[in-house]
Amino acid sequence: MKKIVKNAILVDKDINKVGEIKIEDGKIVEIGENLSFDDSYEIIDAKGKTVMPAFVDLHVHFRDPGFTYKEDLKTGSLSALRGGYTTVNTMANTKPICSDLKTYNDIMKRAKELDLVDINQIVAVTENFDGKNLVDYSKFENAKFLSDDGKGVLSETTMYRAILEAKKYDKIIMIHAESELSPIDYRIAEDLMTLRDVYLAKRLDGRIHLCHVSTIDSLEAVRRGKKEGVKVTCEVTPHHIALWDNSYRVNPPIREKSDVEALIDGIVDGTVDAIATDHAPHTAEDKANGSPGLVGLETAFAICNTKLVKERNIDIRTLSKVMSYGGANLMGIKKGLLKEGYFADLVIVDTDKKIVVDSSKFASKAKNTPFDKMELYGEVLMTIKAGEIKYKGEF
Protein backbone atom coordinates (compact mmCIF):
# COMPACT_ATOMS: atom_id res chain seq x y z
CA MET A 1 0.00 0.00 0.00
CA LYS A 2 1.89 3.00 -1.31
CA LYS A 3 0.34 6.40 -1.82
CA ILE A 4 1.44 9.97 -2.27
CA VAL A 5 -0.69 12.99 -1.46
CA LYS A 6 0.11 15.85 -3.82
CA ASN A 7 -0.95 19.48 -4.33
CA ALA A 8 -1.77 19.95 -0.66
CA ILE A 9 -1.63 22.63 1.99
CA LEU A 10 -0.31 20.70 4.98
CA VAL A 11 -1.62 21.77 8.38
CA ASP A 12 -1.12 20.38 11.86
CA LYS A 13 -0.44 22.04 15.21
CA ASP A 14 3.07 23.00 14.11
CA ILE A 15 2.97 23.55 10.35
CA ASN A 16 1.01 25.35 7.64
CA LYS A 17 2.77 24.93 4.32
CA VAL A 18 2.48 23.58 0.80
CA GLY A 19 3.77 20.04 0.50
CA GLU A 20 3.36 16.35 -0.23
CA ILE A 21 3.00 13.25 1.93
CA LYS A 22 4.42 9.86 1.05
CA ILE A 23 2.64 6.87 2.62
CA GLU A 24 3.84 3.28 2.90
CA ASP A 25 2.27 0.44 4.90
CA GLY A 26 -0.25 2.78 6.44
CA LYS A 27 2.29 5.23 7.83
CA ILE A 28 3.80 8.54 6.81
CA VAL A 29 7.34 7.93 5.57
CA GLU A 30 8.22 11.33 4.10
CA ILE A 31 6.93 14.89 4.00
CA GLY A 32 8.26 17.58 1.70
CA GLU A 33 8.00 19.11 -1.74
CA ASN A 34 8.52 17.40 -5.10
CA LEU A 35 8.98 14.00 -3.48
CA SER A 36 10.29 11.22 -5.69
CA PHE A 37 8.04 8.22 -6.35
CA ASP A 38 7.48 5.54 -8.98
CA ASP A 39 4.51 3.87 -10.66
CA SER A 40 3.85 1.67 -7.61
CA TYR A 41 2.43 4.70 -5.76
CA GLU A 42 -1.20 5.69 -6.02
CA ILE A 43 -1.58 9.47 -6.34
CA ILE A 44 -4.11 11.28 -4.18
CA ASP A 45 -4.54 14.75 -5.63
CA ALA A 46 -5.57 17.20 -2.89
CA LYS A 47 -6.25 19.82 -5.60
CA GLY A 48 -4.83 22.65 -3.51
CA LYS A 49 -7.02 21.87 -0.49
CA THR A 50 -5.94 21.52 3.12
CA VAL A 51 -4.67 18.19 4.44
CA MET A 52 -4.73 17.76 8.21
CA PRO A 53 -4.25 14.84 10.59
CA ALA A 54 -7.60 13.06 10.85
CA PHE A 55 -9.64 14.16 13.84
CA VAL A 56 -9.74 12.32 17.17
CA ASP A 57 -12.87 12.36 19.33
CA LEU A 58 -12.50 11.61 23.03
CA HIS A 59 -16.24 11.46 23.69
CA VAL A 60 -18.95 9.82 21.60
CA HIS A 61 -22.01 7.65 22.17
CA PHE A 62 -22.61 4.91 19.60
CA ARG A 63 -25.46 3.33 21.64
CA ASP A 64 -24.17 -0.17 20.93
CA PRO A 65 -25.11 -2.52 22.53
CA GLY A 66 -28.60 -1.90 23.81
CA PHE A 67 -29.85 1.19 22.00
CA THR A 68 -29.04 0.42 18.38
CA TYR A 69 -32.32 1.91 17.20
CA LYS A 70 -30.55 5.24 17.85
CA GLU A 71 -27.08 4.36 16.52
CA ASP A 72 -24.78 1.37 16.18
CA LEU A 73 -21.07 0.80 15.67
CA LYS A 74 -21.37 0.87 11.88
CA THR A 75 -23.54 3.96 11.49
CA GLY A 76 -21.56 5.77 14.18
CA SER A 77 -18.33 4.90 12.38
CA LEU A 78 -19.68 6.07 9.02
CA SER A 79 -20.79 9.29 10.66
CA ALA A 80 -17.29 9.72 12.09
CA LEU A 81 -15.66 9.20 8.70
CA ARG A 82 -17.93 11.76 7.05
CA GLY A 83 -16.82 14.19 9.74
CA GLY A 84 -13.10 13.53 9.20
CA TYR A 85 -12.61 11.32 12.26
CA THR A 86 -10.68 8.05 12.27
CA THR A 87 -10.44 7.59 16.05
CA VAL A 88 -13.26 7.77 18.56
CA ASN A 89 -13.78 6.87 22.21
CA THR A 90 -17.19 5.41 22.96
CA MET A 91 -18.82 5.98 26.34
CA ALA A 92 -19.88 3.17 28.64
CA ASN A 93 -23.58 4.02 29.08
CA THR A 94 -24.68 1.17 26.87
CA LYS A 95 -27.00 -1.71 27.80
CA PRO A 96 -25.47 -3.61 29.42
CA ILE A 97 -23.22 -0.90 30.82
CA CYS A 98 -19.61 -1.53 29.86
CA SER A 99 -18.32 -2.50 33.28
CA ASP A 100 -17.51 -6.14 32.52
CA LEU A 101 -14.90 -7.73 30.29
CA LYS A 102 -17.41 -9.64 28.17
CA THR A 103 -19.18 -6.47 27.06
CA TYR A 104 -15.89 -4.65 26.50
CA ASN A 105 -14.40 -7.46 24.41
CA ASP A 106 -17.57 -7.83 22.35
CA ILE A 107 -17.59 -4.13 21.41
CA MET A 108 -13.90 -4.07 20.59
CA LYS A 109 -14.12 -7.26 18.50
CA ARG A 110 -17.07 -6.03 16.44
CA ALA A 111 -15.44 -2.63 15.96
CA LYS A 112 -12.26 -4.22 14.66
CA GLU A 113 -14.22 -6.43 12.25
CA LEU A 114 -15.95 -3.37 10.80
CA ASP A 115 -12.56 -1.90 9.88
CA LEU A 116 -13.92 1.61 9.51
CA VAL A 117 -12.52 3.74 12.36
CA ASP A 118 -10.50 2.95 15.46
CA ILE A 119 -13.03 2.59 18.27
CA ASN A 120 -11.71 2.68 21.81
CA GLN A 121 -14.30 1.58 24.34
CA ILE A 122 -14.37 3.45 27.64
CA VAL A 123 -15.02 1.39 30.79
CA ALA A 124 -17.25 2.42 33.68
CA VAL A 125 -15.74 3.73 36.90
CA THR A 126 -18.23 1.81 39.03
CA GLU A 127 -20.12 -1.44 38.51
CA ASN A 128 -23.18 -0.68 36.39
CA PHE A 129 -22.79 2.99 37.34
CA ASP A 130 -23.85 2.21 40.91
CA GLY A 131 -21.56 4.96 42.23
CA LYS A 132 -20.13 2.71 44.96
CA ASN A 133 -18.40 -0.45 43.82
CA LEU A 134 -15.33 0.07 41.65
CA VAL A 135 -14.86 -1.95 38.48
CA ASP A 136 -11.77 -4.18 38.56
CA TYR A 137 -9.58 -1.96 36.41
CA SER A 138 -6.81 -4.57 36.29
CA LYS A 139 -8.91 -6.67 33.90
CA PHE A 140 -8.99 -3.95 31.23
CA GLU A 141 -5.38 -3.80 30.14
CA ASN A 142 -6.03 -1.95 26.88
CA ALA A 143 -8.67 0.49 28.14
CA LYS A 144 -7.21 3.96 28.64
CA PHE A 145 -10.24 5.79 30.03
CA LEU A 146 -12.83 5.23 32.74
CA SER A 147 -16.10 7.12 33.02
CA ASP A 148 -19.57 6.87 34.54
CA ASP A 149 -20.66 9.28 31.83
CA GLY A 150 -24.23 10.42 32.08
CA LYS A 151 -24.37 10.13 35.84
CA GLY A 152 -21.22 11.38 37.48
CA VAL A 153 -19.70 9.86 40.60
CA LEU A 154 -21.56 11.56 43.43
CA SER A 155 -19.69 10.02 46.36
CA GLU A 156 -16.48 11.73 47.40
CA THR A 157 -15.27 8.47 48.92
CA THR A 158 -15.89 6.56 45.70
CA MET A 159 -14.08 9.14 43.61
CA TYR A 160 -11.20 9.21 46.08
CA ARG A 161 -10.82 5.43 45.78
CA ALA A 162 -11.32 5.49 42.00
CA ILE A 163 -8.55 8.03 41.41
CA LEU A 164 -6.11 5.99 43.48
CA GLU A 165 -7.10 2.72 41.79
CA ALA A 166 -6.92 4.25 38.29
CA LYS A 167 -3.49 5.65 39.11
CA LYS A 168 -2.31 2.13 39.96
CA TYR A 169 -3.19 0.94 36.45
CA ASP A 170 -2.21 4.11 34.55
CA LYS A 171 -5.76 5.01 33.55
CA ILE A 172 -7.50 8.34 33.25
CA ILE A 173 -10.88 9.04 34.82
CA MET A 174 -13.14 11.11 32.60
CA ILE A 175 -15.29 13.34 34.77
CA HIS A 176 -18.95 14.01 34.00
CA ALA A 177 -19.41 16.93 36.39
CA GLU A 178 -22.92 16.39 37.68
CA SER A 179 -24.29 16.17 41.19
CA GLU A 180 -27.57 16.04 43.09
CA LEU A 181 -27.75 19.79 42.46
CA SER A 182 -27.95 19.33 38.68
CA PRO A 183 -31.75 19.38 38.38
CA ILE A 184 -31.81 22.55 40.47
CA ASP A 185 -28.78 24.43 39.15
CA TYR A 186 -26.63 22.87 36.43
CA ARG A 187 -24.03 25.62 36.63
CA ILE A 188 -23.33 25.29 40.34
CA ALA A 189 -23.38 21.50 40.02
CA GLU A 190 -20.73 21.51 37.29
CA ASP A 191 -18.56 24.03 39.08
CA LEU A 192 -18.65 22.24 42.44
CA MET A 193 -17.90 18.81 40.98
CA THR A 194 -15.07 20.23 38.90
CA LEU A 195 -13.53 21.90 41.95
CA ARG A 196 -13.89 18.70 43.97
CA ASP A 197 -12.27 16.45 41.42
CA VAL A 198 -9.43 18.80 40.51
CA TYR A 199 -8.67 19.03 44.23
CA LEU A 200 -8.76 15.24 44.65
CA ALA A 201 -6.47 14.79 41.64
CA LYS A 202 -4.07 17.30 43.14
CA ARG A 203 -3.96 15.64 46.55
CA LEU A 204 -3.80 12.09 45.19
CA ASP A 205 -1.53 12.81 42.21
CA GLY A 206 -4.05 11.13 39.93
CA ARG A 207 -5.03 11.79 36.32
CA ILE A 208 -8.44 13.18 35.44
CA HIS A 209 -10.06 14.57 32.32
CA LEU A 210 -13.01 16.95 32.50
CA CYS A 211 -15.64 16.18 29.87
CA HIS A 212 -17.58 18.93 28.07
CA VAL A 213 -16.48 21.86 30.27
CA SER A 214 -19.05 24.60 29.74
CA THR A 215 -18.69 27.36 32.37
CA ILE A 216 -16.23 30.13 33.14
CA ASP A 217 -15.58 28.89 36.67
CA SER A 218 -15.07 25.25 35.70
CA LEU A 219 -12.59 26.25 33.03
CA GLU A 220 -10.79 28.47 35.53
CA ALA A 221 -10.56 25.56 37.96
CA VAL A 222 -8.85 23.50 35.26
CA ARG A 223 -6.53 26.38 34.35
CA ARG A 224 -5.57 26.89 37.99
CA GLY A 225 -5.04 23.17 38.46
CA LYS A 226 -2.70 22.99 35.48
CA LYS A 227 -0.66 25.88 36.81
CA GLU A 228 -0.35 24.02 40.11
CA GLY A 229 0.91 20.89 38.37
CA VAL A 230 -2.28 18.87 38.67
CA LYS A 231 -2.59 16.09 36.09
CA VAL A 232 -5.83 17.46 34.69
CA THR A 233 -6.96 17.86 31.10
CA CYS A 234 -10.25 18.96 29.60
CA GLU A 235 -12.40 19.08 26.50
CA VAL A 236 -15.06 21.43 25.18
CA THR A 237 -17.72 20.69 22.58
CA PRO A 238 -18.42 22.44 19.28
CA HIS A 239 -21.92 23.37 20.44
CA HIS A 240 -20.67 24.99 23.62
CA ILE A 241 -18.38 27.30 21.64
CA ALA A 242 -20.96 28.05 18.94
CA LEU A 243 -24.22 28.61 20.82
CA TRP A 244 -25.38 30.66 23.78
CA ASP A 245 -28.73 31.52 25.36
CA ASN A 246 -30.18 28.61 23.43
CA SER A 247 -32.80 26.24 24.81
CA TYR A 248 -31.80 23.17 22.78
CA ARG A 249 -31.60 20.33 25.29
CA VAL A 250 -28.06 19.14 25.92
CA ASN A 251 -26.20 18.17 29.07
CA PRO A 252 -24.52 20.32 30.25
CA PRO A 253 -26.85 23.03 28.95
CA ILE A 254 -25.97 25.67 26.42
CA ARG A 255 -24.55 28.51 28.51
CA GLU A 256 -24.23 32.29 28.23
CA LYS A 257 -22.11 34.29 25.80
CA SER A 258 -19.58 35.07 28.53
CA ASP A 259 -19.04 31.33 28.97
CA VAL A 260 -18.51 30.91 25.23
CA GLU A 261 -15.90 33.67 25.25
CA ALA A 262 -14.12 31.99 28.17
CA LEU A 263 -14.06 28.60 26.46
CA ILE A 264 -12.63 30.08 23.28
CA ASP A 265 -10.00 31.94 25.30
CA GLY A 266 -9.17 28.57 26.86
CA ILE A 267 -8.64 27.04 23.43
CA VAL A 268 -6.29 29.87 22.46
CA ASP A 269 -4.23 29.82 25.67
CA GLY A 270 -3.96 26.02 25.82
CA THR A 271 -6.14 25.39 28.85
CA VAL A 272 -8.47 23.35 26.62
CA ASP A 273 -6.74 20.18 25.43
CA ALA A 274 -9.28 18.93 22.94
CA ILE A 275 -12.57 19.50 21.22
CA ALA A 276 -14.87 16.49 21.64
CA THR A 277 -18.30 16.22 20.09
CA ASP A 278 -20.25 14.31 22.77
CA HIS A 279 -22.04 12.79 19.76
CA ALA A 280 -25.35 11.70 21.31
CA PRO A 281 -27.86 10.23 18.85
CA HIS A 282 -31.58 10.11 19.68
CA THR A 283 -34.73 9.30 17.77
CA ALA A 284 -37.13 12.14 17.08
CA GLU A 285 -39.52 10.62 19.63
CA ASP A 286 -36.90 10.34 22.37
CA LYS A 287 -35.75 13.87 21.67
CA ALA A 288 -39.31 15.17 21.85
CA ASN A 289 -39.61 13.44 25.22
CA GLY A 290 -36.66 15.39 26.59
CA SER A 291 -33.58 13.24 25.94
CA PRO A 292 -30.51 15.52 26.10
CA GLY A 293 -27.88 15.53 23.39
CA LEU A 294 -27.12 16.11 19.73
CA VAL A 295 -25.30 14.37 16.92
CA GLY A 296 -22.01 16.15 16.39
CA LEU A 297 -19.50 14.20 14.33
CA GLU A 298 -20.58 15.35 10.88
CA THR A 299 -20.80 19.05 11.73
CA ALA A 300 -17.87 19.45 14.13
CA PHE A 301 -15.24 20.60 11.65
CA ALA A 302 -17.50 23.12 9.93
CA ILE A 303 -18.69 24.54 13.26
CA CYS A 304 -15.19 24.87 14.70
CA ASN A 305 -13.66 26.17 11.48
CA THR A 306 -16.42 28.78 11.21
CA LYS A 307 -16.49 29.91 14.83
CA LEU A 308 -12.75 29.83 15.50
CA VAL A 309 -10.87 30.32 12.24
CA LYS A 310 -13.30 32.28 10.08
CA GLU A 311 -15.02 34.48 12.66
CA ARG A 312 -12.15 35.01 15.11
CA ASN A 313 -9.06 34.60 12.95
CA ILE A 314 -7.65 31.93 15.24
CA ASP A 315 -4.74 30.12 13.62
CA ILE A 316 -5.88 26.95 11.84
CA ARG A 317 -2.96 25.20 13.50
CA THR A 318 -4.71 25.75 16.82
CA LEU A 319 -7.80 24.11 15.36
CA SER A 320 -5.73 21.08 14.37
CA LYS A 321 -4.22 20.98 17.83
CA VAL A 322 -7.58 20.65 19.58
CA MET A 323 -9.33 18.49 16.97
CA SER A 324 -6.48 16.07 16.23
CA TYR A 325 -3.37 16.32 18.38
CA GLY A 326 -4.96 16.87 21.78
CA GLY A 327 -6.99 13.69 21.79
CA ALA A 328 -4.26 11.59 20.20
CA ASN A 329 -1.71 12.85 22.70
CA LEU A 330 -3.98 12.01 25.62
CA MET A 331 -4.52 8.53 24.22
CA GLY A 332 -0.80 8.02 23.65
CA ILE A 333 -1.16 7.06 19.98
CA LYS A 334 0.91 8.04 16.95
CA LYS A 335 -1.78 10.13 15.33
CA GLY A 336 -2.67 13.81 15.29
CA LEU A 337 0.47 15.07 13.55
CA LEU A 338 1.78 15.13 9.99
CA LYS A 339 5.05 13.52 10.92
CA GLU A 340 7.24 10.71 9.66
CA GLY A 341 6.53 7.48 11.51
CA TYR A 342 2.96 8.49 12.39
CA PHE A 343 -0.08 6.68 11.06
CA ALA A 344 -1.34 8.06 7.76
CA ASP A 345 -4.69 9.08 9.22
CA LEU A 346 -5.54 12.18 7.22
CA VAL A 347 -8.46 14.39 6.31
CA ILE A 348 -8.72 16.60 3.25
CA VAL A 349 -10.90 19.64 3.85
CA ASP A 350 -12.07 22.71 1.96
CA THR A 351 -11.81 25.40 4.61
CA ASP A 352 -13.52 28.04 2.47
CA LYS A 353 -16.51 26.08 1.17
CA LYS A 354 -19.83 27.49 2.37
CA ILE A 355 -22.21 24.70 3.30
CA VAL A 356 -25.75 24.45 4.59
CA VAL A 357 -26.19 21.72 7.19
CA ASP A 358 -28.70 19.12 6.03
CA SER A 359 -29.36 16.61 8.80
CA SER A 360 -31.44 14.44 6.44
CA LYS A 361 -28.20 13.48 4.70
CA PHE A 362 -26.31 12.46 7.84
CA ALA A 363 -24.76 8.99 7.87
CA SER A 364 -25.84 8.75 11.49
CA LYS A 365 -29.18 7.11 12.20
CA ALA A 366 -30.06 10.19 14.23
CA LYS A 367 -30.82 13.70 12.99
CA ASN A 368 -31.04 15.59 16.30
CA THR A 369 -29.08 18.81 15.84
CA PRO A 370 -29.73 22.52 16.41
CA PHE A 371 -27.44 23.28 13.45
CA ASP A 372 -29.79 21.98 10.76
CA LYS A 373 -30.10 24.51 7.90
CA MET A 374 -27.34 26.66 9.38
CA GLU A 375 -24.75 28.15 7.01
CA LEU A 376 -21.18 27.26 7.93
CA TYR A 377 -17.73 27.21 6.34
CA GLY A 378 -15.75 24.03 5.84
CA GLU A 379 -16.35 20.69 4.19
CA VAL A 380 -14.71 17.30 4.68
CA LEU A 381 -13.77 16.02 1.24
CA MET A 382 -11.90 12.82 2.07
CA THR A 383 -10.98 10.78 5.13
CA ILE A 384 -7.98 8.45 5.03
CA LYS A 385 -7.17 5.86 7.68
CA ALA A 386 -3.77 4.15 7.69
CA GLY A 387 -3.33 5.17 4.06
CA GLU A 388 -6.70 3.77 2.95
CA ILE A 389 -9.46 6.04 1.67
CA LYS A 390 -12.45 5.39 3.92
CA TYR A 391 -14.67 8.28 2.85
CA LYS A 392 -14.75 10.40 -0.29
CA GLY A 393 -17.23 13.19 -0.81
CA GLU A 394 -17.86 15.22 -3.95
CA PHE A 395 -14.25 15.91 -4.70
Side-chain angles (χ1 to χ4, degrees):
M1 184 191 296
K2 295 181 178 180
K3 291 184 173 68
I4 186 161
V5 181
K6 298 179 66 66
N7 302 317
I9 301 171
L10 307 181
V11 171
D12 69 9
K13 79 176 185 70
D14 298 317
I15 63 172
N16 184 351
K17 63 182 182 181
V18 173
E20 301 174 348
I21 302 174
K22 188 184 286 188
I23 300 166
E24 295 180 6
D25 298 322
K27 292 189 176 180
I28 298 171
V29 295
E30 190 176 2
I31 295 175
E33 294 185 57
N34 301 313
L35 300 180
S36 61
F37 64 99
D38 56 34
D39 292 342
S40 65
Y41 285 82
E42 176 187 343
I43 297 174
I44 298 175
D45 187 356
K47 301 178 182 178
K49 304 305 181 187
T50 299
V51 177
M52 306 170 75
F55 308 134
V56 176
D57 201 332
L58 291 170
H59 188 156
V60 302
H61 303 266
F62 280 0
R63 310 301 191 196
D64 189 348
F67 305 97
T68 53
Y69 65 95
K70 299 187 181 193
E71 193 81 285
D72 57 45
L73 295 182
K74 183 177 180 179
T75 59
S77 296
L78 292 173
S79 182
L81 288 172
R82 284 179 64 111
Y85 290 87
T86 59
T87 306
V88 299
N89 292 265
T90 48
M91 284 294 173
N93 57 340
T94 49
K95 187 178 182 180
I97 289 168
C98 189
S99 60
D100 64 272
L101 200 56
K102 181 181 178 181
T103 301
Y104 175 83
N105 286 338
D106 169 64
I107 295 169
M108 294 297 288
K109 178 177 181 291
R110 290 188 291 116
K112 186 175 182 180
E113 289 171 350
L114 280 173
D115 190 29
L116 291 171
V117 300
D118 286 337
I119 293 176
N120 298 279
Q121 179 59 46
I122 296 168
V123 175
V125 175
T126 63
E127 295 282 354
N128 295 312
F129 289 3
D130 68 9
K132 298 177 182 178
N133 300 295
L134 299 186
V135 170
D136 184 352
Y137 306 152
S138 68
K139 293 182 178 180
F140 299 89
E141 183 178 352
N142 296 319
K144 184 71 176 179
F145 303 115
L146 309 166
S147 181
D148 277 8
D149 184 80
K151 291 194 71 173
V153 178
L154 303 185
S155 165
E156 294 171 359
T157 303
T158 301
M159 184 56 79
Y160 180 99
R161 291 170 47 233
I163 290 175
L164 286 177
E165 195 69 6
K167 178 181 174 182
K168 190 187 303 183
Y169 297 103
D170 191 30
K171 300 191 185 303
I172 300 172
I173 296 183
M174 300 179 110
I175 307 296
H176 187 95
E178 274 203 67
S179 75
E180 294 172 330
L181 264 177
S182 295
I184 302 169
D185 194 317
Y186 276 104
R187 178 180 292 273
I188 292 177
E190 179 177 339
D191 292 344
L192 282 176
M193 292 294 274
T194 300
L195 286 166
R196 183 198 75 173
D197 292 340
V198 171
Y199 180 80
L200 284 173
K202 176 181 179 179
R203 290 302 179 189
L204 302 176
D205 192 33
R207 296 182 68 188
I208 65 169
H209 175 80
L210 273 299
C211 294
H212 42 50
V213 172
S214 68
T215 72
I216 293 175
D217 289 340
S218 288
L219 187 74
E220 184 54 38
V222 173
R223 180 181 285 114
R224 185 166 57 249
K226 287 188 171 194
K227 288 179 180 177
E228 294 174 354
V230 182
K231 296 171 182 174
V232 56
T233 52
C234 76
E235 69 191 42
V236 299
T237 72
H239 48 278
H240 283 117
I241 63 170
L243 304 174
W244 58 87
D245 299 334
N246 187 299
S247 61
Y248 194 86
R249 181 88 199 283
V250 288
N251 193 10
I254 301 301
R255 302 297 188 180
E256 299 171 4
K257 193 170 191 300
S258 56
D259 296 297
V260 172
E261 297 294 335
L263 298 184
I264 293 174
D265 287 345
I267 290 171
V268 174
D269 70 20
T271 302
V272 173
D273 298 271
I275 286 175
T277 65
D278 194 9
H279 178 84
H282 292 295
T283 63
E285 181 181 1
D286 286 345
K287 193 64 187 171
N289 289 331
S291 295
L294 56 82
V295 283
L297 285 164
E298 295 175 58
T299 54
F301 172 72
I303 292 168
C304 296
N305 181 58
T306 301
K307 297 301 175 180
L308 299 177
V309 180
K310 294 297 183 184
E311 294 184 2
R312 296 180 182 255
N313 294 314
I314 292 172
D315 195 321
I316 193 170
R317 292 176 297 181
T318 299
L319 181 61
S320 182
K321 180 181 179 182
V322 290
M323 291 195 72
S324 303
Y325 175 78
N329 184 53
L330 199 57
M331 293 177 69
I333 56 177
K334 281 201 164 185
K335 297 188 181 186
L337 290 174
L338 301 180
K339 189 174 181 180
E340 293 175 9
Y342 276 58
F343 285 101
D345 282 31
L346 311 171
V347 59
I348 302 178
V349 296
D350 185 339
T351 59
D352 297 320
K353 176 74 174 294
K354 181 183 283 190
I355 65 165
V356 178
V357 177
D358 185 351
S359 61
S360 70
K361 295 181 180 178
F362 284 175
S364 172
K365 287 183 182 180
K367 316 301 175 188
N368 50 303
T369 173
F371 296 101
D372 193 37
K373 304 299 185 289
M374 187 176 290
E375 287 190 353
L376 298 168
Y377 287 93
E379 183 176 34
V380 173
L381 303 172
M382 184 182 292
T383 305
I384 301 167
K385 179 179 178 290
E388 183 180 346
I389 298 172
K390 294 290 188 178
Y391 167 74
K392 186 176 181 181
E394 296 180 5
F395 178 46

